Amino acid sequence: MNILKSILQYHCPGCRSGKLFNEPFEFSNPLDMPERCPNCQQHFEPEPGFYFGAMFISYGLSAILLLVPALILVLGYDWSATRAMLVVVAIGAISFFRILRLSRSIWIHINVKYEGKAFGSPEEV
Ligand SMILES: [Zn+2]
């Protein structure tokens, strides 16, 4: 599995096989993660406050995801700012949990080195 697929599918950065988040998804606890990877034992919170940096990634992703459509609608289609804002708020609401998880996934993939296939990981091309 390549790194992009691993990030987007929320896999462990160490083995790219174990899942980063507990299933099933719960709205009351969207960032529910196991303490360690069930496959390679990689710690998913290596130090207290580890995911503080993910906040900046989340900010950047949100800015791109919300600003680009708003500018396209206002400048390209001559929409009013209020009308474009309604669309942007809807996009933000729909993508909120996805961005939260994605930013954590990107952050841990930046900080944890890929160690190759751990014992028992499925064979992939
Ligand atoms: Zn792992």
Side-chain angles (χ1 to χ4, degrees):
M1 179 182 294
N2 67 40
I3 187 166
L4 192 64
K5 198 173 170 190
S6 178
I7 289 172
L8 293 175
Q9 294 182 348
Y10 314 130
H11 283 281
C12 162
C15 65
R16 296 183 188 166
S17 178
K19 286 289 202 177
L20 265 181
F21 296 98
N22 288 324
E23 302 286 340
F25 175 83
E26 287 176 25
F27 281 101
S28 59
N29 195 3
L31 297 175
D32 185 26
M33 303 170 86
E35 192 177 322
R36 290 181 178 277
C37 173
N39 189 50
C40 70
Q41 302 305 310
Q42 166 66 46
H43 208 296
F44 283 162
E45 191 161 0
E47 56 192 62
F50 175 73
Y51 289 105
F52 182 75
M55 200 174 69
F56 298 101
I57 293 175
S58 171
Y59 178 78
L61 287 176
S62 302
I64 293 166
L65 191 76
L66 303 180
L67 196 60
V68 169
L71 288 175
I72 290 172
L73 290 173
V74 171
L75 300 176
Y77 293 89
D78 220 20
W79 280 32
S80 70
T82 310
R83 203 167 151 207
M85 189 61 73
L86 289 174
V87 172
V88 165
V89 167
I91 293 171
I94 291 166
S95 62
F96 180 71
F97 291 116
R98 178 93 185 155
I99 287 180
L100 273 183
R101 284 187 161 200
L102 191 61
S103 55
R104 277 198 171 203
S105 182
I106 291 170
W107 186 248
I108 198 169
H109 277 81
I110 289 171
N111 289 287
V112 175
K113 193 176 160 216
Y114 177 53
E115 300 290 351
K117 274 195 284 268
F119 177 76
S121 62
E123 204 64 42
E124 290 188 36
V125 179

